[in-house]
Amino acid sequence: MKALIIEKYSSATRAFMEGLRDATGFDVSYRDDLEEALRFMVEKHIDTMLVNVGNLALDPHAVAETIRSRAKSALMRSPQIVLLSVAPLALNEVGMCLDMQVRCMLRQFAPPIYEEVRAGFWFRETRTRGSTIRIEHEQGHYYLYICVGMFSEQIEVGGQPSRLAAMLAGGRASYLLETLADELEVCRQTIKKYIWELRHSCLRAQRKLLVTELDENVFWMARHPGGTRCGITAKVIWD
């Protein structure tokens, strides 16, 4: 794996690079200019970018957006982004970065930064692939959320599609279309419409979370011997 540190060089930079390399096993590189770093990121397909925004007098949110945009233009996966500063950033800036799944950390405390890079790598690369859906049940209504790490976004659909999602999360690998239609007291075509609504609403929620690799098959429907079946391919958490 490859990490890139972007900051003005100082005596602390070399120690920081060596500490990150020892803690993670990453191939750690260094640049002191953001534009040069972006070119290097695309050329080498960097996995983690650590940008000292305070040291370089850069706008934190703009830096995160620029990195994501350049990665998208290069048709590469956006790297994990960790923004560093000596002084605490304004809370509104930290909030905007958290909305993008970008961590802001104090540069002078190196060990927590190393652990954040290790944990971020594990989450992005070694965890079981697939999505997580959280279902909340309140006063007879179901509410659906797509979850990415510590963030979640509501899958905005009506009451009947939400009920269908709860049925699909009932524990079986799949359900016959006819069974679902009978349970919801609707026709087969309506169940197909609900699946379509769930799929597209789920994709919208993932885009709001700035997911770089959309999971298009959280809710699925396919022909099988014995009839059309529907299912949900996600870890389900009931709340």
Side-chain angles (χ1 to χ4, degrees):
M1 293 294 106
K2 302 172 185 176
L4 178 61
I5 297 169
I6 304 100
E7 67 178 16
K8 292 180 181 177
Y9 190 84
S10 70
S11 58
T13 303
R14 175 56 59 182
F16 186 69
M17 293 176 63
E18 292 176 353
L20 181 61
R21 184 180 298 114
D22 291 343
T24 63
F26 279 27
D27 178 5
V28 182
S29 301
Y30 160 79
R31 292 293 183 275
D32 62 3
D33 176 79
L34 181 60
E35 187 58 39
E36 182 183 350
L38 291 170
R39 289 194 292 269
F40 187 80
M41 174 192 78
V42 173
E43 177 186 350
K44 300 296 184 180
H45 282 248
I46 296 299
D47 300 288
T48 300
M49 301 270 283
L50 300 101
V51 188
N52 193 335
V53 292
N55 176 271
L56 296 171
L58 297 171
D59 176 81
H61 185 250
V63 167
E65 284 193 324
T66 299
I67 293 173
R68 289 274 176 84
S69 176
R70 188 66 62 89
K72 183 177 180 180
S73 298
L75 301 179
M76 63 174 283
R77 186 182 187 185
S78 176
Q80 175 194 17
I81 303 170
V82 180
L83 302 182
L84 308 174
S85 63
V86 174
L89 299 174
L91 287 178
N92 67 313
E93 293 178 337
V94 174
M96 288 190 293
C97 291
L98 285 174
D99 284 342
M100 299 180 67
Q101 303 168 49
V102 172
R103 289 295 306 273
C104 300
M105 306 187 72
L106 293 175
R107 169 65 173 83
Q108 57 266 43
F109 302 111
I113 298 171
Y114 303 156
E115 285 304 299
E116 177 64 26
V117 172
R118 281 179 4 103
F121 168 73
W122 174 84
F123 180 79
R124 287 163 56 90
E125 303 295 339
T126 66
R127 72 185 181 97
T128 301
R129 298 272 178 192
S131 300
T132 298
I133 297 292
R134 186 175 81 251
I135 303 179
E136 297 181 2
H137 188 220
E138 183 178 347
Q139 297 181 348
H141 298 282
Y142 293 98
Y143 300 92
L144 315 176
Y145 298 84
I146 184 82
C147 304
V148 178
M150 60 186 292
F151 303 95
S152 63
E153 185 69 33
Q154 186 172 5
I155 301 172
E156 298 181 350
V157 291
Q160 285 288 78
S162 296
R163 283 186 61 199
L164 173 60
M167 292 173 61
L168 295 176
R172 298 181 185 176
S174 64
Y175 295 81
L176 279 170
L177 186 64
E178 290 81 358
T179 301
L180 298 170
D182 291 343
E183 184 69 25
L184 292 179
E185 298 181 340
V186 296
C187 67
R188 290 162 45 96
Q189 196 61 35
T190 298
I191 295 295
K192 293 179 181 180
K193 176 177 176 290
Y194 290 164
I195 291 289
W196 184 90
E197 291 177 6
L198 287 166
R199 287 171 59 92
H200 283 265
S201 295
C202 185
L203 289 172
R204 282 198 300 270
Q206 291 179 63
R207 292 188 183 100
K208 288 181 181 179
L209 285 172
L210 301 175
V211 174
T212 54
E213 297 179 5
L214 298 179
D215 187 347
E216 299 182 358
N217 297 306
V218 173
F219 301 97
W220 61 270
M221 178 172 58
R223 290 185 177 276
H224 286 267
T228 299
R229 304 190 73 90
C230 306
I232 178 171
T233 55
K235 178 182 178 181
V236 177
I237 300 173
W238 290 90
D239 199 353

